[in-house]
Amino acid sequence: MSGRFAASNRVAIAGYAQSVIQRRAERPLGALAVDTAREAIADTGLRVDQIDGFVSSSLLPSARGQVTEDGVSTVSSAWLAQHLGVNPRYVAGFEGIGQITGSVGMAVNAVASGAADFVLLHRALHNPAGRYHANPMREARGSQQWTAPQGFFGPLAMIALPYNEYLQRYGAKRESMAAVAVEARKNGARIPWSYWRDRPLGADEYLAAPTLFDPVCRYDCDIPADGVAAFVFTSAERARDLPHPPVYVAGYAAGTPAKRRLPLHWPLDDIVEGGAETARRLWEHAGIGVGDVDLPQVYDGFSPFVWLWLEVLGLCPPGEAHRFVEAGGIDSDRPGGIPALSGGGALGNGRMHGIPQMLECYLQLARRAGDRQREEATIGLACHSSPHFGGAVVYSAERF
């Protein structure tokens, strides 16, 4: 990839829907997905039969060995199209790095190329019964034979390693991380569909939470939940004739670790170096720089990701994110604060991966955020997953 994206600002999000995020929904995930998709289509001012493209990244993010069943624990693009009664021209599911970034890229490219006129992108997340990350293995094979028997299993171990490295290298303390969780929950408590609606978190409560995998505590993790979000993409020209202000996709970028590692081995240097390359690609693809972004939404599936995204994007110096955040640098209610978690993120909404970041960009830039509206917001940035193993998308309220 080199130079600005050829389809920059030529494709827009024209409407959306978000289900209530619940610990465990009373209805099957597929039923929630069908209803949410219909709501998104109606919000866009379209009929269901006008949707001719479907994109998703169906995933059951559990390390417990759960059985994957389409329409029950996951919802694929093809399943959703069939159950909406649509025979689309374009159906795709992203399977690479940074699922939401990849899905957005596929939706944009489908519209820009003429493969489809109206593309529905959805994300459906399921919380299976039982312990979410319990280890069901009776024997370890392949690369896991070197890690699982020693207890290095699952995402908690994966993030605890670089988190410990950061604390030791930069003299950071867990007390500084409390500001991340408190900010996310403060904002999530204001959002009607959030699992944490009307339930902010205090720093003392955060620090008293049990440690799950030292130094990761309960509130450093987004809570597993059932929920569905859907967005409708179309061309900038078509979007102008629809009910809501369009939000344009200016560019995107994703990355993958360059160094060979065991699957859960994420050293801090790998994250920082890979993240810097992701950011470089992003600014080139979108044709902007970090100084142009007034609504950065950093990913927070685990709280340490907030520090890391702030640094690799250039929003604060390397090794300084813990001090920056503790001093109120991301307090969205503070004049001059960077609204990095103004949409609540995953910690403030529930485990919807990068959907809260994407949705906050859409709502703010489309001027649909209600009492939370930030009038100065014109360019948003939604980050997804780890800086070195995920991606980011730049959105704009105006074509440039």
Side-chain angles (χ1 to χ4, degrees), residues 26 95 131 137 141 175-176 182 206 212 262 266 295 391-392:
E26 296 179 356
E95 297 295 337
R131 296 181 62 189
M137 290 188 294
R141 297 178 179 273
E175 287 77 6
S176 298
V182 169
Y206 167 85
L212 304 178
L262 292 171
W266 284 16
L295 187 72

Side-chain angles (χ1 to χ4, degrees), residues 51-54 77-78 81-82 85-91 115-116 118:
I51 303 299
D52 56 355
F54 287 80
S77 303
Q82 182 181 37
V86 176
N87 181 16
R89 294 193 292 149
Y90 181 85
V91 178
F118 298 100

Side-chain angles (χ1 to χ4, degrees), residues 191 245-247 294-295 297 332 339 342-343 356-380 396-397:
I191 295 175
V247 173
D294 43 35
L295 187 72
Q297 295 291 295
S332 58
S342 63
Q357 288 79 8
M358 178 180 179
L359 181 53
E360 177 71 352
C361 285
Y362 171 71
L363 292 175
Q364 294 288 350
L365 299 182
R367 301 296 185 260
R368 300 184 67 185
D371 293 342
R372 301 186 308 102
Q373 184 64 53
R374 309 182 71 86
E375 296 302 330
E376 74 282 5
T378 57
I379 295 181
S396 176

Side-chain angles (χ1 to χ4, degrees), residues 207-264:
L207 293 170
T211 298
L212 304 178
F213 209 110
D214 189 30
V216 177
C217 80
R218 175 182 294 165
Y219 294 126
D220 287 315
C221 312
D222 55 1
I223 191 166
D226 287 342
V228 179
F231 301 85
V232 176
F233 288 74
T234 191
S235 67
E237 290 72 21
R238 295 188 195 93
R240 285 200 296 263
D241 297 327
L242 298 176
H244 304 295
V247 173
Y248 306 100
V249 179
Y252 55 85
T256 184
K259 298 175 182 177
R260 295 185 62 184
R261 305 288 189 192
L262 292 171
L264 298 181

Side-chain angles (χ1 to χ4, degrees), residues 21 184-191 193-201 205 218-219 221-223 344-351:
I21 300 170
R185 284 281 293 275
K186 175 190 76 177
N187 293 318
R190 300 167 173 170
I191 295 175
W193 51 80
S194 168
Y195 174 78
W196 297 111
R197 183 181 184 183
D198 297 327
R199 288 186 285 175
L201 178 73
E205 186 180 357
R218 175 182 294 165
Y219 294 126
C221 312
D222 55 1
I223 191 166
L347 294 175
N349 284 275
R351 184 168 296 166

Side-chain angles (χ1 to χ4, degrees), residues 2 63 77 98 107 138 173 190 203 210 248 261 301 320 322 388 391:
S2 106
S77 303
R138 294 183 177 274
K173 301 182 182 301
R190 300 167 173 170
Y248 306 100
R261 305 288 189 192
E320 291 295 321
H322 61 109
H388 79 311

Side-chain angles (χ1 to χ4, degrees), residues 90-399:
Y90 181 85
V91 178
F94 184 77
E95 297 295 337
I97 304 303
Q99 287 86 8
I100 295 179
T101 303
S103 296
V104 169
M106 295 179 84
V108 170
N109 290 331
V111 172
S113 68
D117 292 335
F118 298 100
V119 175
L120 182 83
L121 181 155
H122 83 275
R123 184 71 158 172
L125 274 298
H126 177 54
N127 177 25
R131 296 181 62 189
Y132 200 81
H133 287 307
N135 187 345
M137 290 188 294
R138 294 183 177 274
E139 60 180 33
R141 297 178 179 273
S143 62
Q144 289 190 323
Q145 68 183 297
W146 311 113
T147 56
Q150 288 74 36
F152 195 83
F153 173 84
L156 291 178
M158 176 193 71
I159 193 61
L161 174 69
Y163 185 12
N164 260 316
E165 283 191 89
Y166 191 100
L167 295 179
Q168 295 171 24
R169 183 179 301 180
Y170 298 117
K173 301 182 182 301
R174 284 193 61 245
E175 287 77 6
S176 298
M177 190 62 78
V180 170
V182 169
E183 176 67 14
R185 284 281 293 275
K186 175 190 76 177
N187 293 318
R190 300 167 173 170
I191 295 175
W193 51 80
S194 168
Y195 174 78
W196 297 111
R197 183 181 184 183
D198 297 327
R199 288 186 285 175
L201 178 73
D204 290 344
E205 186 180 357
Y206 167 85
L207 293 170
T211 298
L212 304 178
F213 209 110
D214 189 30
V216 177
C217 80
R218 175 182 294 165
Y219 294 126
D220 287 315
C221 312
D222 55 1
I223 191 166
D226 287 342
V228 179
F231 301 85
V232 176
F233 288 74
T234 191
S235 67
E237 290 72 21
R238 295 188 195 93
R240 285 200 296 263
D241 297 327
L242 298 176
H244 304 295
V247 173
Y248 306 100
V249 179
Y252 55 85
T256 184
K259 298 175 182 177
R260 295 185 62 184
R261 305 288 189 192
L262 292 171
L264 298 181
H265 185 200
W266 284 16
L268 180 60
D269 286 341
D270 284 14
I271 297 176
V272 172
E273 292 169 11
E277 175 62 15
T278 299
R280 186 197 65 77
R281 293 177 180 178
L282 180 68
W283 307 136
E284 183 179 33
H285 204 234
I288 64 168
V290 65
D292 299 307
V293 178
D294 43 35
L295 187 72
Q297 295 291 295
V298 299
Y299 182 71
D300 64 333
F302 294 109
S303 59
F305 284 143
V306 173
W307 288 355
L308 300 173
W309 273 111
L310 289 171
E311 293 184 8
V312 303
L313 291 171
L315 293 168
C316 68
E320 291 295 321
H322 61 109
R323 297 186 182 91
F324 179 75
V325 171
E326 190 171 23
I330 63 169
D331 184 346
S332 58
D333 294 333
R334 174 175 170 263
I338 295 174
L341 291 170
S342 63
L347 294 175
N349 284 275
R351 184 168 296 166
M352 288 297 293
H353 289 171
I355 286 296
Q357 288 79 8
M358 178 180 179
L359 181 53
E360 177 71 352
C361 285
Y362 171 71
L363 292 175
Q364 294 288 350
L365 299 182
R367 301 296 185 260
R368 300 184 67 185
D371 293 342
R372 301 186 308 102
Q373 184 64 53
R374 309 182 71 86
E375 296 302 330
E376 74 282 5
T378 57
I379 295 181
L381 168 64
C383 302
H384 311 133
S385 192
S386 166
H388 79 311
F389 207 80
V393 182
V394 174
Y395 298 97
S396 176
E398 301 173 355
R399 301 183 73 175

